[in-house]
Amino acid sequence: MNLLDHLYAFARRRHAKIYLVGGSVRDALLNRNLDQGSPIDIDVSVEGDASALARAMAEEIGAAFYVMNEEFDVARVILKEDARSLVDFARLRGESIEQDLATRDFSVNAMAADISRGGWNREQIIDPFNGVADLQARHLRAISESVFENDPVRLLRAV
């Protein structure tokens, strides 16, 4: 079972509200398949205690775990057999996934899919900033004018 399958199964068993977010959704839409056994970097936003969920998943699958940012409740699960395959868990920023997505940098990174029931498909994409259309048009658009003021490193990501 690959890391993404572990995540789907974990979300189902835990009845946890887990959203696949950002580059993971973008890459899937670009047919950069997450299931081909290659190293993957998955980002998820969760309702509730992200660090506790990450720790529980790491324990279930025998992976490494560490807290990346205690203040913002961000933690990482790393497969021991392939340290390049990981899942970053982050607590939702705001009261909803839409509010969380509004804090991201570009529209193509501000998409999500609710994987709480296991798996995902294109029809369940949450896309409040029209990232799918921007991705199809090969258009990189900032979510807000303040996105670079809040995090200047995003200028480098834009390139």
Side-chain angles (χ1 to χ4, degrees), residues 5-23:
D5 291 335
H6 282 298
L7 182 62
Y8 293 155
F10 176 79
R12 275 194 316 270
R13 279 192 308 280
R14 287 290 179 146
H15 305 286
K17 197 68 163 175
I18 298 177
Y19 298 93
L20 191 66
V21 295

Side-chain angles (χ1 to χ4, degrees), residues 10 50-60 63 65 67 75-77 89:
F10 176 79
S51 295
L53 279 172
R55 182 184 304 273
M57 183 177 168
E59 288 173 0
E60 274 191 25
F65 158 85
V67 175
R76 178 169 281 175
V77 173
F89 285 75

Side-chain angles (χ1 to χ4, degrees), residues 13-80:
R13 279 192 308 280
R14 287 290 179 146
H15 305 286
K17 197 68 163 175
I18 298 177
Y19 298 93
L20 191 66
V21 295
S24 302
V25 175
R26 180 196 66 230
D27 288 349
L29 289 171
L30 291 171
N31 294 319
R32 295 178 184 156
N33 196 339
L34 297 174
D35 295 319
Q36 293 177 336
S38 60
I40 56 176
D41 179 356
I42 302 169
D43 294 317
V44 297
S45 289
V46 303
E47 290 182 4
D49 190 338
S51 295
L53 279 172
R55 182 184 304 273
M57 183 177 168
E59 288 173 0
E60 274 191 25
I61 65 173
F65 158 85
Y66 72 94
V67 175
M68 295 171 52
N69 186 314
E70 194 170 329
E71 179 184 356
F72 290 106
D73 192 16
V74 179
R76 178 169 281 175
V77 173
I78 306 166
L79 283 186
K80 291 180 180 177

Side-chain angles (χ1 to χ4, degrees), residues 3 7 14 33 41 44 75 90-91 93 106 112 118 123 147 155:
L3 187 56
L7 182 62
R14 287 290 179 146
N33 196 339
D41 179 356
V44 297
R91 181 188 303 262
R93 290 175 261 164
F106 305 105
E123 288 76 40
V147 72
L155 286 167

